Amino acid sequence: MIRFHQVNKHYGHFHVLKDINLTVHSGEVVVVIGPSGSGKSTLVRCINRLEAITDGELIVDGIRLNDKKTDINQIRRNIGMVFQHFNLYPHMSVLKNITLAPIKVANMSEKEARETAMLYLDKVGISGKADAYPWQLSGGQQQRVAIARGLAMKPKIMLFDEPTSALDPETIGEVLDVMKTLALEGMTMVVVTHEMGFAREVADRVVFMDQGRIVEDAVPAEFFAEPKQERAQLFLSRVL
Ligand code: ADP
Ligand code: MG
């Protein structure tokens, strides 16, 4: 579903991604961890072309992203993204937040978009909040709306960039539960998170980044038992 082959990216003179090789198969959940500034967000943002790669090859759902002929909007339609800070439209109701893209981008009828939205709101456990505004919701509820919004486009891939980092501790679990359900249903997911419990329990693979490189890519049991790289060992000793 996603394949990075010898991908490099620069921000001006800064070499942010170095020789990235990474494959994510359909239905796989890959958790990306690593210190702040190691390039995790950049890696994830390349997948839906919020960032362009400098060289190498990045193929998503069979489409080569660094090809000039590639229709970026078509790729983005198949990828949902959830950010740390929810990024809901503050002046729109929950329902409107979710139906906007399906109506405007996917040409869904208003009725169908509404029905789809209600379905996903129910799935994330907040169908009672359809008419509320984001400011009336807790952080955990807002993040679940953001997930429902991503799902409403029926994506093949969901990307999460520290989805629980801005949440109160007591609402982190409700968001992780929704993500876990998605994973069990077979969604292809790339998740940047510091929640090691989630990584251990839900991930098919854990990727550890340091200074723009993937220095470890292993199944969780192996990674947590005995990370091969010293940097990963040090990181784990700090977060666990
Ligand atoms: P992480 O998500 O692991 O914290 P990022 O991918 O956000 O790392 O950033 C990696 C590095 O790239 C950091 O040093 C950051 O300052 C730098 N960086 C991120 N975005 C930009 C940008 N738009 N322009 C220049 N440098 C950037
Ligand atoms: Mg980041």
Side-chain angles (χ1 to χ4, degrees):
M1 191 63 95
I2 303 168
R3 193 158 70 91
F4 287 78
H5 179 68
Q6 285 297 114
V7 168
N8 284 275
K9 176 173 177 60
H10 296 79
Y11 287 122
H13 292 296
F14 182 64
H15 196 174
V16 58
L17 294 180
K18 299 169 185 161
D19 299 331
I20 299 291
N21 291 296
L22 176 68
T23 302
V24 183
H25 296 105
S26 181
E28 249 184 339
V29 178
V30 171
V31 165
V32 181
I33 65 177
S36 175
S38 57
K40 306 179 298 294
S41 294
T42 304
L43 179 92
V44 165
R45 291 164 65 86
C46 285
I47 297 170
N48 63 357
R49 250 301 213 114
L50 286 174
E51 300 289 351
I53 65 175
T54 315
D55 66 53
E57 190 172 57
L58 175 50
I59 300 173
V60 177
D61 193 22
I63 298 170
R64 195 185 297 253
L65 293 202
N66 43 325
D67 204 328
K68 285 206 173 63
K69 288 179 293 221
T70 296
D71 177 1
I72 297 308
N73 288 325
Q74 167 159 14
I75 293 160
R76 289 201 185 133
R77 231 169 278 175
N78 285 326
I79 302 177
M81 176 135 187
V82 175
F83 302 89
Q84 182 174 353
H85 292 292
F86 329 136
N87 298 12
L88 297 176
Y89 305 111
H91 56 291
M92 290 181 191
S93 70
V94 162
L95 192 67
K96 191 91 194 146
N97 262 280
I98 300 174
T99 58
L100 188 70
I103 292 170
K104 289 251 160 32
V105 183
N107 293 320
M108 216 183 260
S109 74
E110 205 150 315
K111 180 169 177 288
E112 193 190 349
R114 195 180 292 262
E115 285 167 3
T116 308
M118 289 310 297
L119 200 80
Y120 286 112
L121 275 178
D122 193 38
K123 192 178 171 65
V124 300
I126 38 172
S127 49
K129 298 289 184 187
D131 296 320
Y133 283 80
W135 57 270
Q136 295 172 308
L137 305 179
S138 72
Q141 290 172 329
Q142 289 185 59
Q143 196 59 302
R144 285 186 283 152
V145 172
I147 294 173
R149 181 173 64 177
L151 293 174
M153 290 294 282
K154 307 214 165 98
K156 293 183 180 170
I157 300 168
M158 285 288 284
L159 307 174
F160 294 85
D161 191 357
E162 300 201 27
T164 61
S165 294
L167 300 180
D168 295 329
E170 61 268 33
T171 65
I172 289 176
E174 68 197 38
V175 172
L176 294 178
D177 283 346
V178 168
M179 292 167 62
K180 188 176 162 187
T181 304
L182 266 185
L184 290 173
E185 288 172 357
M187 178 63 79
T188 306
M189 295 166 56
V190 180
V191 183
V192 178
T193 185
H194 298 298
E195 294 294 329
M196 295 302 135
F198 179 86
R200 204 188 275 269
E201 197 186 340
V202 182
D204 293 298
R205 285 188 1 253
V206 176
V207 164
F208 179 79
M209 291 187 72
D210 188 41
Q211 296 182 26
R213 289 184 194 280
I214 291 178
V215 296
E216 196 126 16
D217 180 343
V219 299
E222 201 177 302
F223 178 78
F224 288 107
E226 191 179 12
K228 289 186 196 69
Q229 301 285 331
E230 209 173 307
R231 298 297 312 224
Q233 287 170 11
L234 190 66
F235 179 80
L236 279 184
S237 71
R238 287 191 185 132
V239 296
L240 287 178

